[in-house]
């Protein structure tokens, strides 16, 4: 937090976070093609969405916390913008903080939880839902609403100019449902200790996104050791699920994965 006004520290860490969050496939594509116009559809989409999330989130935090003396209110205008930008970047997966996170307004805390749940990109160092799944899910919702209005219309879901197949749409829907059910179960288990709801859900969202920042009455310390040891094991499990994803874990737990000769057709 003492480096909140230091541009070298802020922008160096932000650059590293973004590099880790874009994903190895995107960086490989950038290294080979070097020009944005030559990148694959996926890479271009990832870069565009990441840019929108970073600067959009920064705008939200700047607007909500501009006059809050406990966060960025006492900084100069350039420092406020830099602190808001850092907040938007760090919540995607990193967990560093340049001001007291518990001093955020309730709306800012809710926005922070949403950014944590979105996470970074596929094949990156991030956990959580991942941006492409969020975009596809959003377009599926829009298509459903459009079909309600125009029942006879045939509308396909396209992302980056490519049509999303019914199988991929079903996989993403299943993943999102499973993810949020696990998030809810984790939140309910954490509530056994008696902390407020904001503490419990932000802690669950934080570990499933591999971020490390959480809010609420018990979150002021910013230390997960406030939870009882059994609940720390729950948090650790949620962290693994958020990083490796539940379907990957199910595959790893399947006997046919380790013993293909025993697989049943």
């Amino acid at each position: 937090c003492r480096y909140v006004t230091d541009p070298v520290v802020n922008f160096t860490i932000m650059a590293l976070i973004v590099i880790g969050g874009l994903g190895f496939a995107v960086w490989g594509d950038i290294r080979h093609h070097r020009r944005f116009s030559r990148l694959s559809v996926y890479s271009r989409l990832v870069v565009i969405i990441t840019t929108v999330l970073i600067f959009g989130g920064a705008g939200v935090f700047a607007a909500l916390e501009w006059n809050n003396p406990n966060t960025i209110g006492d900084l100069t205008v350039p420092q406020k913008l830099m602190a808001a930008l850092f907040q938007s970047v760090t919540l995607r997966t990193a967990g560093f903080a340049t001001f007291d996170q518990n001093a955020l307004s309730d709306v800012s805390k809710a926005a922070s939880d949403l950014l944590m749940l979105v996470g970074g990109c596929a094949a990156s160092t991030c956990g959580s839902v991942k941006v492409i799944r969020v975009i596809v899910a959003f377009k599926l919702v829009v298509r459903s609403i459009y079909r309600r209005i125009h029942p006879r219309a045939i509308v396909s879901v396209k992302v980056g100019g490519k049509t999303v197949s019914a199988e991929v749409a079903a996989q993403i829907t299943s993943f999102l449902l499973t993810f949020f059910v696990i998030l809810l179960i984790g939140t309910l288990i954490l509530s056994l200790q008696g902390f407020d709801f904001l503490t419990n859900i932000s802690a669950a969202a934080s570990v499933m996104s591999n971020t490390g920042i959480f809010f609420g009455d018990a979150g002021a310390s910013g230390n997960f050791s406030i939870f009882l040891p059994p609940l720390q094991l729950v948090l650790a499990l949620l962290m693994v699920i958020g990083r490796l994803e539940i379907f990957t874990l199910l595959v790893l737990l399947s006997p046919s994965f380790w013993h293909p000769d025993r697989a049943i057709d």
Side-chain angles (χ1 to χ4, degrees), residues 187-247:
T187 301
L188 293 175
I189 295 174
L190 294 177
S191 67
L192 295 174
Q193 190 163 337
F195 292 140
D196 63 296
F197 177 76
L198 180 58
T199 297
N200 298 324
I201 192 170
S202 66
S206 179
V207 294
M208 289 194 74
S209 63
N210 292 184
T211 302
I213 294 175
F214 67 109
F215 318 101
D217 293 343
S221 65
N223 193 330
F224 287 94
S225 63
I226 62 172
F227 290 97
L228 297 172
L231 297 182
Q232 292 180 31
L233 293 176
V234 172
L235 289 168
L237 177 60
L238 291 176
M239 194 181 303
V240 174
I241 291 174
R243 185 63 191 92
L244 294 181
E245 300 186 357
I246 185 63
F247 295 140

Side-chain angles (χ1 to χ4, degrees), residues 108-187:
S108 295
K109 290 177 182 177
S112 298
D113 283 338
L114 286 176
L115 282 176
M116 286 193 291
L117 289 174
V118 170
C121 305
S124 72
T125 58
C126 302
S128 207
V129 173
K130 309 291 193 306
V131 293
I132 294 298
R133 289 195 182 107
V134 173
I135 294 299
V136 174
F138 175 77
K139 292 204 170 191
L140 287 171
V141 171
V142 172
R143 184 186 65 173
S144 298
I145 295 173
Y146 187 83
R147 280 183 171 178
R148 289 285 183 179
I149 300 173
H150 304 281
R152 297 182 180 179
I154 300 176
V155 183
S156 60
V157 175
K158 292 187 177 182
V159 177
K162 291 190 174 182
T163 302
V164 177
S165 66
E167 181 182 357
V168 172
Q171 290 175 355
I172 290 176
T173 303
S174 300
F175 173 85
L176 290 174
L177 178 61
T178 306
F179 182 92
F180 285 106
V181 166
I182 294 174
L183 176 69
L184 178 59
I185 293 173
T187 301

Side-chain angles (χ1 to χ4, degrees), residues 40-56:
S40 66
V41 172
Y42 171 79
S43 296
R44 292 201 304 270
L45 192 61
V46 162
V47 172
I48 291 171
I49 295 172
T50 298
T51 303
V52 171
L53 286 173
I54 289 174
F55 289 99

